[in-house]
Amino acid sequence: MADVLKPSSLIKRSFLYRIHEKAGGVFIEENGFAVPSNYGQSVREEITLAHQMGIADLSHVSRTGFKGWHAASWLEKKNCKFGLESNFSYLQSTGERILRLSPNEFAIVGKIVNDSDFITELNSSLHPETDEGVFIVPRSDTNCWLKVMGVNAPSMLAKVCAVDLRPQIFPDGAIAQTNIARLNCIVTRHDVGLATTYDILTDCASADYFWQALLDAMDEFSGGPVGVTAVYQLAGVG
Amino acid sequence: MKIINCPLNGQRNAQEFVYGGEVEPHPNPHLVSDDEWASYVFIEKNLSGKVLEWWCHVPTAYWFIAERDTKLDEIFKTYDPSKIFKERIDFLPPEDSSKKTTESAVNNMHNTDSIKKNTTEGNS
């Protein structure tokens, strides 16, 4: 019998690893993190779930942020491409996404599949002594990243969020910075394959509560947790 | 649920916002007495009528200015602070101070006079 990967055997773990263990998560290593590959179901079953109503923990994927009155010009010098519109996500040619949260604040999220060193290199290229007016916002250590998926996702989110996130109102790439289940969140519509999905960044200290609150809200839609293998397949990789 | 129009994020439930006090000229802390500074920090004018107020959209930590009627409890205009505060102001120690305060910035606002007039009328 193959060795079962225990999250506690790795230094890096999701904020939610205890919950994933209790839910029967089967772990694999991604980016040095122990992440749930699946929750005991077949990949096909979890993909079906994801198309209807699912939630995945992507907290192992790299992310960061920059703010300050020179943040936009500094990022442009690093070959980041984005527009003037705030609260919109801009896809980079390398696959990362730049979330423009305001004229002077940005969050940058890595690729779900084949996460690169782009964000690590961006972080290390900031020199506070010389790069005046740019400050790092270390979102990897402060935000958990959850992906809510499926045709029932807008209905489920309507129970816990006052902003209208229906696909016809909230297009792919749109961002809402608002309360979900009474927590401050950054929610981005970021479709994967044919599935409507929402990426949610929120305070890692409340990750347990938030995960349970969303599972509770999706109960009436027969939703449940989805492992990363199903998410990769939705994205056409894996 | 009351709705507040955030200049950055659009319409949001009022519970996403916190009140941040009245907009008033920021005195140079190096040049004013302790009483004047304490008055600026702690004492609100609490005017009746149309006033300028600081509000913060908590999920984004975004501060903006709202024009609110305290008698009607109605916000009728919100905008980014850059409409009033055009440049960064550093309060330097007395020997280097340019005696620059935000008073000029606030006074430059086009409708400050009308707001003062309205609030005075509201108090009478």
Side-chain angles (χ1 to χ4, degrees), chain A residues 129-222:
Chain A
E129 312 81 33
T130 53
D131 294 320
E132 189 187 353
V134 189
F135 309 93
I136 195 164
V137 184
R139 293 191 179 274
S140 284
D141 303 319
T142 57
N143 286 172
C144 67
W145 179 354
L146 306 182
K147 181 176 273 297
V148 174
M149 300 165 277
V151 293
N152 291 313
S155 301
M156 184 279 285
L157 288 168
K159 296 168 65 180
V160 288
C161 177
V163 176
D164 191 347
L165 300 174
R166 288 177 296 165
Q168 64 269 33
I169 303 292
F170 196 72
D172 195 12
I175 296 172
Q177 300 176 78
T178 185
N179 283 352
I180 297 180
R182 295 180 181 264
L183 283 185
N184 296 330
C185 296
I186 301 169
V187 52
T188 309
R189 182 168 161 212
H190 176 197
D191 291 354
V192 175
L194 296 175
T196 301
T197 79
Y198 299 87
D199 287 337
I200 301 175
L201 297 176
T202 192
D203 179 23
C204 64
S206 302
D208 278 22
Y209 155 75
F210 194 64
W211 179 269
Q212 302 287 8
L214 292 188
L215 281 180
D216 184 55
M218 65 177 65
D219 189 48
E220 68 172 283
F221 304 104
S222 304

Side-chain angles (χ1 to χ4, degrees), chain A residues 1-13 17 20-21 24-37:
Chain A
M1 183 179 168
D3 290 340
V4 176
L5 178 64
K6 299 283 288 181
S8 52
S9 65
L10 295 176
I11 293 175
K12 295 178 178 177
R13 297 183 286 270
Y17 78 94
H20 298 323
E21 278 187 313
V26 178
F27 289 84
I28 56 173
E29 184 177 344
E30 288 283 332
N31 306 340
F33 282 80
V35 297
S37 167

Side-chain angles (χ1 to χ4, degrees), chain A residues 92-136:
Chain A
Q92 306 300 291
S93 58
T94 47
E96 290 77 14
R97 282 178 178 261
I98 293 188
L99 317 184
R100 186 160 202 169
L101 303 177
S102 79
N104 296 325
E105 181 167 5
F106 300 83
I108 299 151
V109 296
K111 290 181 287 188
I112 296 170
V113 187
N114 299 325
D115 200 11
S116 70
D117 292 330
F118 177 83
I119 286 172
T120 309
E121 289 167 5
L122 207 54
N123 282 341
S124 58
S125 66
L126 178 67
H127 304 292
E129 312 81 33
T130 53
D131 294 320
E132 189 187 353
V134 189
F135 309 93
I136 195 164

Side-chain angles (χ1 to χ4, degrees), chain B residues 105-119:
Chain B
V106 173
N107 285 338
N108 283 339
M109 197 188 157
H110 62 92
N111 58 355
T112 301
D113 288 343
S114 64
I115 287 170
K116 280 181 180 168
K117 184 169 178 286
N118 286 331
T119 51

Side-chain angles (χ1 to χ4, degrees), chain A residues 86-87 101-102 162-163 176-179 184, chain B residues 8-9 12-13 15-16 57-60 88:
Chain A
S86 296
N87 283 322
L101 303 177
S102 79
V163 176
Q177 300 176 78
T178 185
N179 283 352
N184 296 330
Chain B
L8 175 63
N9 298 286
R12 291 286 191 275
N13 284 347
Q15 69 179 25
E16 293 190 15
H57 181 245
V58 177
T60 48
R88 181 189 171 95

